[in-house]
Amino acid sequence: MKAELEALQVEALEAIQTTGDLNTLEEHRVNFLGRKGRVTDILRGVSQLSVEERPLMGQAANAVKVVICEALDARKAELTVVAEAAQAESEAVDLSLPGRTPRKGHMHVINQVTDEILQIFGDLGFQTATGPDIETEYYNFDCLNTPKEHPARDSHDTFFVKPGTVLRTHTSPVQMRVMEKFQPPVAVVIPGRVYRVDYDATHSPMFYQFEGLLVDKGITFADLRGTLMHFIHRMFGKDIEVRFRPHFFPFTEPSAEVDILWKAKDRHTGEMKSQWLEILGCGMVHPEVFKHAGYDYEQYNGFAFGMGVDRIAMVKHGINSIHHLYENDVRFLEQF
Amino acid sequence: MKISLHWLKNYIDLDLTVEELAHEMTMLGLEIEAIERPGDEITGVYIGEILEINPHPDADKIVVCKTNVGGDEPVQICCGAKNMKVGDRVPTAIVGATLPGGFEIARRKMRGVESQGMMCAASELGLDGDSEGLLILDDTYEIGADAKPLLGLDDVIMEIEVTPNRGDWASMIGVARELAARFNKALHIPDVSFVESAPAIDEVTSVTVEDDARCPRYMGRLLRNVKVGPSPQWLSRYLVAAGQRPINNIVDITNFVLLETGHPLHAFDFDKLKESRVVVRTATKGESMETLDGEKRTLKKSMLVIADATTPQCIAGVMGGTLSETSDDTVTIFLESAVFDPISVRKTSRALKLISESSQRFQRGADPEMAAYALDRAAALMQELAGAEIAEGVIDHYPSPVEARVVTLNYSRTADLLGVEIPHEEQVKHLESLGFIVTTQDENSVTVSVPLRRNDVSMEADLIEEVGRLHGFNNIPVTIPHIAGTERIYAPVENRLRAFRRFLVGLGLYEAYSWTFSNETLVKNAGLDEAYLNMVKLENPLSEKQATMRSSLIPNLLASAAHNLNRGTAGLAIFELGPTYLADEEQETGASQQNKLAIVLSGPITTKHWSRNQHEQDIFDLKGYVEAIANYFDTEFKFEAEDYPTFQPGQSATIKKRKHTLGFFGKVRQSLLKNWELNQDVYILEMELDSLVTHATPTKGFEAIPGFPAANRDLAVVVEANAPVNELIDTISRSGGNLLKSVEVFDIYTGKPIESGKKSVAFNLIFQSEERTLTEKDTQKSFDKILKQLENKHTATLR
């Protein structure tokens, strides 16, 4: 039996060493060590032996089993490496080829900027409000302290639909629509299309505005400054210089315009130049406007502000003509 | 308005750099639109005196001059001008000088004769004036002096925007007054003195004002024996700096005083006035007159005119007429200084489409006190510069003198509104510096009388603005308000639309953003029906192309598709989401607004790729987007094949949610493509969104994830070639029993071995139970039932 074991070991080791693939190796394992394998058979036969022989032969058989086992493992490791290498070679790819890129959609830059502005004011607690593009003259002008023949109407060249009905020239009518419906505190931001009879290199008859209104007890011009500084710093960077300068709007008192000191590369010379750019108008809500809204001027203060989203987008992205915004040229759309 | 610094310095002593001044003005609300330095580039120009003019030996059109520019020797200059004579003083650029545009003067030969400089015409120095001849100066210009300051070429012109509320800023004195307040400086208003002589004005003329409401004050003076001629240099220079063209001393003085004081004047040639009198009245029907700009104006009954006994001579506050225009022959002048109602002037100016320096100022409200000063200031200048004899007395029709407004400021309201504590005495100081006069004052408040020029100030908030403005807006602190929480959602639809837009972008679509204008032709060119022609029309469109508001997004998107496809883009997938408008008499505005979505697809949108074929988009790509949209809103759409003029017959469908039609989609009809200069197939969709976004999509309930595996079975049947597949799917779904979870079409086949006129449709059926793993036997039962129904209803046969 001992000789048989030795011969088996020699046979097994040789078979293992000469095996070239993992499947055959597995067959060898089954053949020698499997449930019905030859080593297993011998081990099973040990119980038939005499009490003296049993431990000796048991040990010997186990030793052969261990040797074969180790040989199988070692060979398996070798063959695995070989097999992987072979597979890798057969599957070789040229990773310098372009991938299959999923198509990326593009939101229009006006809406991207609007979403960003809404996010900033949303974080402060402002909610979105909207109103119709086709508006009554009352909401667009009269209730905003801009009666007929007010010279401030000159800067609002107005499209008329019929007497008393206009395409809104600003988003401010929505302020009044909100105030008529809701009591303070009111904190809204209003995005929307607006229209003016003005079409040249720098004007589009339709453009996009963004308006804000906060009415509550104890609201001050300092709050207006803080709110807008916060917005500007988030929109354009925290180091940007900002200035408030007095201006006139019929529906706010005091009124101001806000400029930022904008640094941009000169298109021709490539030099960095800084320049004050007007980006928004604002002020404390005029008592006349509160009167129309039915709010108590003694009890509430409010501020309002408005800006051209087109202008913000153009400044931020360096877009050189407002007309790109409304042409829908895909070479423009896919830039943003 | 253009502000010349030279001119401004007559009224205030300023010791600031131009940049500092511009900053301070900006911070006061005087927005600087431009700063010009017209003579910036000019160097080396001196006052020269022509000593000799000799013919050029070799050229007829050139003369050779000797000009003394103050040096040891006169310089020799060849010159092509004709208007000079020996002894004239002219600005002379010497060798090494530079002129506007960087033009450098060098020693050079003109037809063999050396020229050592150039004598200049006004235009060559960037001044307004004749470009033909030299600028001839009078004897007051010192020979050899630097011409730059003398000609005002070192002036700085600031163009300011005057806001509509501050008519008083549209003047040199107004701007100076503001700066004086800012820097606590004295304001120098020029003294006015002149000599009056007989006869008295009311012996010679009379003024009748028929409409006191529209003409609350009318003043006049009579000036006799005026010598009309050119204005002195300083006066012309100021006018040129302000952007005006000098005409003659009389006209120039009225313009100068207008710019200086902000108050418009008008000088009539008195001898042209019939019956030598003035009537302020409304025009009568059919009256007309020629205004100074040479236009014949038809007047309306609502317009106020200044007439003589019979004829309108001037449109009040807007523009004078040619009949009584001052000319070189004018001897006697009636000088008008009046106050007209702003609204009346504005209406007239707008009705005539005639905007003048005068109308712009009157429509902001004129200052009745300034009217008196401006009249005397102009009369004095006319005496000084045109030798006018001023008749004794002044006509002053001012039946109800305007009373100054009185406004109270509670000091504490300043802090309430501005958010900064400004000491009481400082608040008062700011107001006083601007000319507000304190009438009463206590520890809580101050009451001031408002200068008449400040018709923008009528209440407390106005005074607070003045205090804040002089305090400096940038000196007000920066605080973040606490916004009280509210459960209000003001615009749920807008919020949902914005989220939906992000979803569409996530599908790989590009967003378009078009003007919302349209016109009837566009609607018809898109094959849209009558309902879309019920558009909102504009009374004053930019052009006929933008005559209406859009009733559909389709025309704009077809135009956008053409724009891109004709510029080298092979294919596109674009959407637009936005409002459309229809005329709607039920609405106060006569219009209703509806949110719609349109998608346009054409050609391939994938680039050519080494690993796959380029996919040409077709109608099933478009339908796929619609299905994704249904999925987004957690709803189901029904598609009903229906022909429509926009689409190829048989290639369009309506989109329905229950019984409500949301929109349609299809392949654009071939015969319409040429309307849009389209040369390839285009697929388009339009659907309304309001009914989908008005209510929030219901909250989704959780469904347990199946614990047992699904069983897959394929079923292929042969049916009539024209049998709609969705009907087969309906039959399968209905007959498949509870275990059938889904049906997908995975193959459609026609051709051999399938009999002609038939097609093979292959479905993948998924069966699943929530209780156990299904066996072949379980699914076979459903499978047989399905097949039987297909055979019965669709004469299908198992393939």
Side-chain angles (χ1 to χ4, degrees):
Chain A
M1 191 177 233
K2 194 170 180 198
E4 198 185 340
L5 268 173
E6 277 167 10
L8 196 55
Q9 179 170 334
V10 171
E11 185 193 342
L13 290 181
E14 196 188 329
I16 289 166
Q17 281 317 311
T18 54
T19 298
D21 68 283
L22 288 163
N23 289 340
T24 318
L25 191 69
E26 177 63 12
E27 281 170 19
H28 291 319
R29 192 189 64 75
V30 173
N31 183 27
F32 293 106
L33 301 180
R35 220 149 40 86
K36 294 175 181 168
R38 292 159 65 189
V39 178
T40 318
D41 271 356
I42 293 174
L43 272 168
R44 218 176 272 135
V46 169
S47 61
Q48 315 286 321
L49 295 175
S50 64
V51 177
E52 293 79 28
E53 275 183 313
R54 253 185 244 166
L56 283 173
M57 287 316 288
Q59 276 172 9
N62 266 324
V64 168
K65 185 180 175 187
V66 168
V67 168
I68 294 174
C69 221
E70 281 171 356
L72 278 167
D73 287 349
R75 188 64 186 152
K76 188 174 184 185
E78 282 168 24
L79 288 177
T80 305
V81 169
V82 172
E84 273 181 358
Q87 191 186 9
E89 197 176 337
S90 73
E91 287 177 357
V93 290
D94 175 4
L95 272 179
S96 67
L97 284 170
R100 294 181 202 99
T101 321
R103 184 172 155 91
K104 179 189 182 302
H106 295 273
M107 190 185 289
H108 194 278
V109 66
I110 290 274
N111 273 318
Q112 285 188 39
V113 171
T114 305
D115 272 355
E116 193 175 348
I117 304 174
L118 284 170
Q119 175 76 50
I120 296 170
F121 285 103
D123 290 353
L124 289 174
F126 288 85
Q127 286 264 359
T128 310
T130 53
D133 292 16
I134 300 171
E135 202 28 296
T136 64
E137 214 173 335
Y138 173 79
Y139 281 111
N140 196 73
F141 289 123
D142 299 350
C143 72
L144 298 171
N145 198 28
T146 319
K148 261 206 174 65
E149 304 307 336
H150 192 292
R153 286 200 181 193
D154 281 348
S155 61
H156 287 228
D157 263 333
T158 310
F159 285 110
F160 278 86
V161 167
K162 61 177 189 181
T165 301
V166 301
L167 301 188
R168 64 176 175 193
T169 59
H170 49 180
T171 40
S172 307
V174 186
Q175 285 187 23
M176 186 58 64
R177 288 183 174 275
V178 167
M179 286 192 282
E180 280 181 350
K181 227 169 147 186
F182 301 99
Q183 282 302 303
V186 164
V188 289
V189 279
I190 303 149
R193 288 170 180 75
V194 298
Y195 304 83
R196 291 189 198 171
V197 188
D198 209 350
Y199 181 35
D200 59 30
T202 56
H203 294 91
S204 166
M206 184 198 89
F207 54 108
Y208 205 82
Q209 267 193 353
F210 190 93
E211 180 104 2
L213 173 73
L214 172 62
V215 184
D216 201 352
K217 288 177 183 155
I219 298 298
T220 67
F221 193 84
D223 292 332
L224 171 61
R225 274 170 57 75
T227 303
L228 292 179
M229 297 280 248
H230 172 84
F231 160 69
I232 289 166
H233 288 152
R234 272 186 65 179
M235 193 75 195
F236 294 104
K238 65 178 165 50
D239 297 326
I240 201 133
E241 237 181 284
V242 181
R243 73 179 186 190
F244 283 68
R245 62 188 157 72
H247 197 69
F248 168 75
F249 301 108
F251 34 90
T252 48
E253 187 82 19
S255 306
E257 279 187 341
V258 183
D259 302 337
I260 56 173
L261 191 60
W262 184 249
K263 297 185 181 69
K265 232 182 215 168
D266 187 286
R267 271 171 201 282
H268 303 294
T269 65
E271 264 176 90
M272 286 302 281
K273 279 188 175 167
S274 54
Q275 178 187 4
W276 286 108
L277 285 185
E278 173 194 327
I279 54 156
L280 55 83
C282 61
M284 302 303 292
V285 180
H286 197 285
E288 278 299 314
V289 174
F290 275 159
K291 206 186 279 178
H292 281 283
Y295 282 10
D296 179 0
Y297 179 64
E298 297 297 322
Q299 208 184 340
Y300 295 107
N301 283 342
F303 67 66
F305 58 87
M307 66 190 95
V309 176
D310 320 56
R311 187 165 172 79
I312 303 275
M314 288 171 72
V315 169
K316 193 165 167 136
H317 297 287
I319 300 166
N320 61 358
S321 162
I322 190 168
H323 300 299
H324 286 313
L325 296 175
Y326 305 112
E327 265 171 8
N328 299 334
D329 192 309
V330 293
R331 293 165 297 180
F332 175 81
L333 300 178
E334 63 195 2
Q335 288 182 34
F336 302 99
Chain B
M1 177 171 176
K2 288 185 167 185
I3 303 288
S4 145
L5 275 198
H6 279 186
W7 188 354
L8 187 67
K9 283 179 179 172
N10 288 306
Y11 312 102
I12 183 170
D13 301 322
L14 289 168
D15 42 14
L16 301 167
T17 65
V18 172
E19 289 68 29
E20 288 166 343
L21 181 64
H23 174 76
E24 293 296 343
M25 286 170 69
T26 302
M27 289 307 149
L28 283 166
L30 288 154
E31 191 178 348
I32 311 280
E33 294 194 316
I35 299 178
E36 291 168 31
R37 293 175 170 84
D40 210 24
E41 291 174 301
I42 297 173
T43 60
V45 180
Y46 299 94
I47 306 295
E49 182 191 24
I50 301 175
L51 302 177
E52 290 177 26
I53 304 178
N54 301 309
H56 188 288
D58 242 357
D60 295 344
K61 293 190 174 165
I62 300 176
V63 290
V64 182
C65 302
K66 288 255 183 338
T67 303
N68 172 16
V69 289
D72 295 341
E73 291 286 325
V75 291
Q76 175 171 295
I77 297 172
C78 297
C79 179
K82 300 257 182 300
N83 67 325
M84 68 288 191
K85 60 182 189 303
V86 171
D88 278 349
R89 295 187 183 190
V90 291
T92 309
I94 62 165
V95 170
T98 47
L99 295 182
F103 175 52
E104 231 171 275
I105 301 298
R107 193 183 299 271
R108 63 188 189 121
K109 285 205 163 149
M110 289 175 85
R111 295 225 167 181
V113 179
E114 181 167 280
S115 185
Q116 302 161 336
M118 183 176 124
M119 296 185 287
C120 304
S123 62
E124 286 162 339
L125 294 170
L127 294 169
D128 189 80
D130 205 346
S131 60
E132 290 292 305
L134 301 182
L135 174 60
I136 310 286
L137 305 169
D138 62 41
D139 294 349
T140 59
Y141 290 85
E142 194 190 327
I143 294 162
D146 186 351
K148 221 171 140 172
L150 294 177
L151 296 177
L153 294 168
D154 58 345
D155 200 358
V156 176
I157 316 292
M158 294 183 159
E159 184 148 18
I160 58 166
E161 186 204 329
V162 178
T163 50
N165 60 327
R166 292 300 299 267
D168 63 310
W169 272 347
S171 68
M172 302 303 297
I173 289 176
V175 170
R177 180 184 286 114
E178 208 67 22
L179 290 167
R182 169 69 184 83
F183 295 111
N184 294 313
K185 294 224 174 199
L187 176 69
H188 312 300
I189 294 183
D191 287 335
V192 169
S193 64
F194 50 81
V195 181
E196 291 179 326
S197 51
I201 187 168
D202 45 18
E203 291 171 27
V204 186
T205 186
S206 68
V207 171
T208 316
V209 177
E210 291 182 1
D211 192 333
D212 288 346
R214 279 194 261 189
C215 177
R217 187 172 201 180
Y218 194 94
M219 302 184 74
R221 277 192 178 275
L222 196 71
L223 297 99
R224 294 177 300 123
N225 294 322
V226 294
K227 282 153 207 75
V228 179
S231 295
Q233 287 287 337
W234 66 265
L235 178 50
S236 316
R237 213 165 59 225
Y238 282 165
L239 291 179
V240 169
Q244 295 207 351
R245 205 182 164 81
I247 294 166
N248 62 46
N249 50 6
I250 299 302
V251 175
D252 292 351
I253 287 168
T254 58
N255 285 336
F256 171 81
V257 173
L258 162 79
L259 294 168
E260 180 182 60
T261 64
H263 195 86
L265 303 171
H266 187 66
F268 295 90
D269 185 335
F270 184 68
D271 298 323
K272 307 264 172 70
L273 298 182
K274 288 188 203 80
E275 298 181 18
S276 302
R277 64 192 183 93
V278 170
V279 182
V280 183
R281 61 169 171 84
T282 46
T284 55
K285 207 177 167 190
E287 265 184 329
S288 69
M289 63 174 281
E290 187 181 301
T291 42
L292 290 175
D293 55 4
E295 295 279 317
K296 193 176 169 192
R297 310 280 177 174
T298 305
L299 304 174
K300 285 184 189 155
K301 267 168 76 179
S302 58
M303 294 174 181
L304 193 70
V305 296
I306 317 300
D308 58 16
T310 60
T311 316
Q313 299 292 336
C314 176
I315 302 171
V318 180
M319 195 174 271
T322 49
L323 282 178
S324 53
E325 180 179 7
T326 51
S327 66
D328 291 350
D329 306 326
T330 299
V331 179
T332 311
I333 282 169
F334 179 79
L335 186 60
E336 164 197 291
S337 181
V339 175
F340 299 111
D341 173 52
I343 291 177
S344 163
V345 170
R346 187 179 147 88
K347 280 184 172 164
T348 303
S349 158
R350 280 163 59 91
L352 295 173
K353 295 195 169 62
L354 178 57
I355 294 169
S356 64
E357 292 278 342
S358 167
S359 72
Q360 282 180 317
R361 284 174 175 79
F362 277 121
Q363 69 170 21
R364 292 172 189 214
D367 172 3
E369 284 172 354
M370 195 53 102
Y373 174 81
L375 180 63
D376 285 354
R377 171 73 168 148
L381 284 171
M382 286 180 187
Q383 188 160 73
E384 187 188 329
L385 303 178
E389 292 165 24
I390 302 173
E392 282 170 4
V394 57
I395 285 172
D396 187 4
H397 174 87
Y398 194 22
S400 11
V402 180
E403 279 183 34
R405 284 197 200 95
V406 174
V407 183
T408 299
L409 168 66
N410 293 290
Y411 298 124
S412 64
R413 282 293 291 167
T414 305
D416 286 350
L417 203 61
L418 299 183
V420 61
E421 292 286 348
I422 301 172
H424 302 175
E425 54 282 12
E426 210 176 308
Q427 297 193 33
V428 173
K429 192 192 80 188
H430 288 324
L431 293 177
E432 284 183 326
S433 72
L434 289 165
F436 293 85
I437 295 160
V438 174
T439 55
T440 57
Q441 194 173 2
D442 62 32
E443 55 191 18
N444 298 320
S445 69
V446 60
T447 300
V448 295
S449 129
V450 178
L452 294 186
R453 63 178 172 271
R454 293 301 305 272
N455 51 19
D456 61 312
V457 174
S458 62
M459 58 186 179
E460 190 176 46
D462 298 326
L463 294 180
I464 294 172
E465 176 172 59
E466 294 305 289
V467 170
R469 206 160 58 82
L470 287 189
H471 179 78
F473 280 3
N474 296 299
N475 297 324
I476 291 173
V478 169
T479 53
I480 294 277
H482 168 73
I483 294 179
T486 163
E487 70 289 350
R488 275 180 213 149
I489 304 289
Y490 294 89
V493 165
E494 176 71 12
N495 295 348
R496 286 175 204 133
L497 287 174
R498 300 201 84 83
F500 178 53
R501 177 181 286 119
R502 289 190 283 272
F503 164 75
L504 294 169
V505 171
L507 296 179
L509 296 166
Y510 291 10
E511 187 191 10
Y513 205 102
S514 312
W515 282 357
T516 45
F517 305 113
S518 186
N519 64 59
E520 286 198 8
T521 311
L522 290 180
V523 170
K524 288 177 181 161
N525 282 348
L528 295 165
D529 63 33
E530 285 291 311
Y532 290 88
L533 288 172
N534 185 27
M535 286 189 286
V536 177
K537 293 182 183 64
L538 297 179
E539 282 189 342
N540 53 337
L542 270 186
S543 78
E544 282 311 305
K545 282 186 179 165
Q546 291 97 18
T548 68
M549 298 303 284
R550 67 184 180 192
S551 53
S552 161
L553 302 174
I554 287 177
N556 286 340
L557 271 199
L558 285 174
S560 296
H563 171 95
N564 286 298
L565 295 172
N566 292 333
R567 280 170 181 72
T569 302
L572 40 83
I574 296 179
F575 78 98
E576 179 157 3
L577 190 168
T580 58
Y581 317 83
L582 285 176
D584 180 351
E585 284 317 311
E586 307 240 311
Q587 307 295 323
E588 188 185 359
T589 56
S592 61
Q593 188 172 323
Q594 205 179 20
N595 287 301
K596 284 187 184 168
L597 166 72
I599 298 177
V600 63
L601 306 180
S602 185
I605 50 167
T606 46
T607 49
K608 285 189 175 150
H609 197 269
W610 57 273
S611 74
R612 61 183 172 200
N613 291 330
Q614 211 174 8
H615 170 66
E616 286 274 334
Q617 295 174 101
D618 63 26
I619 197 161
F620 292 101
D621 292 289
L622 190 53
K623 190 178 175 191
Y625 286 113
V626 187
E627 287 163 340
I629 290 164
N631 196 355
Y632 175 86
F633 288 108
D634 198 21
T635 184
E636 273 176 29
F637 293 157
K638 283 209 184 82
F639 302 98
E640 286 177 13
E642 193 173 322
D643 283 351
Y644 189 81
T646 301
F647 303 112
Q648 279 290 87
Q651 298 206 44
S652 65
T654 55
I655 306 162
K656 289 191 169 178
K657 185 186 166 190
R658 297 203 190 85
K659 287 189 174 163
H660 177 65
T661 302
L662 294 169
F664 47 35
F665 70 94
K667 178 177 179 178
V668 176
R669 191 179 280 256
Q670 294 298 304
S671 59
L672 292 179
L673 292 179
K674 67 176 187 311
N675 294 342
W676 302 92
E677 293 175 37
L678 285 164
N679 303 309
Q680 66 186 53
D681 289 345
V682 173
Y683 303 88
I684 203 157
L685 145 88
E686 181 170 68
M687 60 189 285
E688 65 102 345
L689 295 174
D690 289 327
S691 66
L692 293 172
V693 293
T694 302
H695 303 289
T697 306
T699 308
K700 292 176 186 176
F702 168 73
E703 276 178 35
I705 295 162
F708 298 93
N712 258 286
R713 294 211 49 179
D714 288 347
L715 164 66
V717 289
V718 176
V719 291
E720 294 298 324
N722 61 3
V725 171
N726 69 333
E727 291 176 9
L728 303 177
I729 293 176
D730 276 353
T731 302
I732 296 171
S733 301
R734 253 179 250 135
S735 54
N738 293 338
L739 298 178
L740 179 67
K741 295 302 173 198
S742 77
V743 187
E744 298 293 341
V745 185
F746 73 88
D747 190 40
I748 304 281
Y749 178 77
T750 52
K752 280 180 180 167
I754 307 296
E755 193 184 328
S756 86
K758 304 256 181 182
K759 66 183 168 191
S760 155
V761 185
F763 300 93
N764 179 245
L765 313 178
I766 294 178
F767 297 93
Q768 194 161 37
S769 159
E770 282 153 29
E771 285 138 26
R772 61 200 165 87
T773 303
L774 295 176
T775 63
E776 179 89 16
K777 224 171 104 191
D778 294 321
T779 54
Q780 189 61 43
K781 217 168 128 191
S782 301
F783 193 86
D784 292 342
K785 214 163 150 194
I786 289 168
L787 188 58
K788 197 169 171 204
Q789 288 297 318
L790 288 174
E791 284 166 358
N792 289 347
K793 288 198 174 158
H794 308 281
T795 58
T797 53
L798 186 65
R799 189 181 165 200

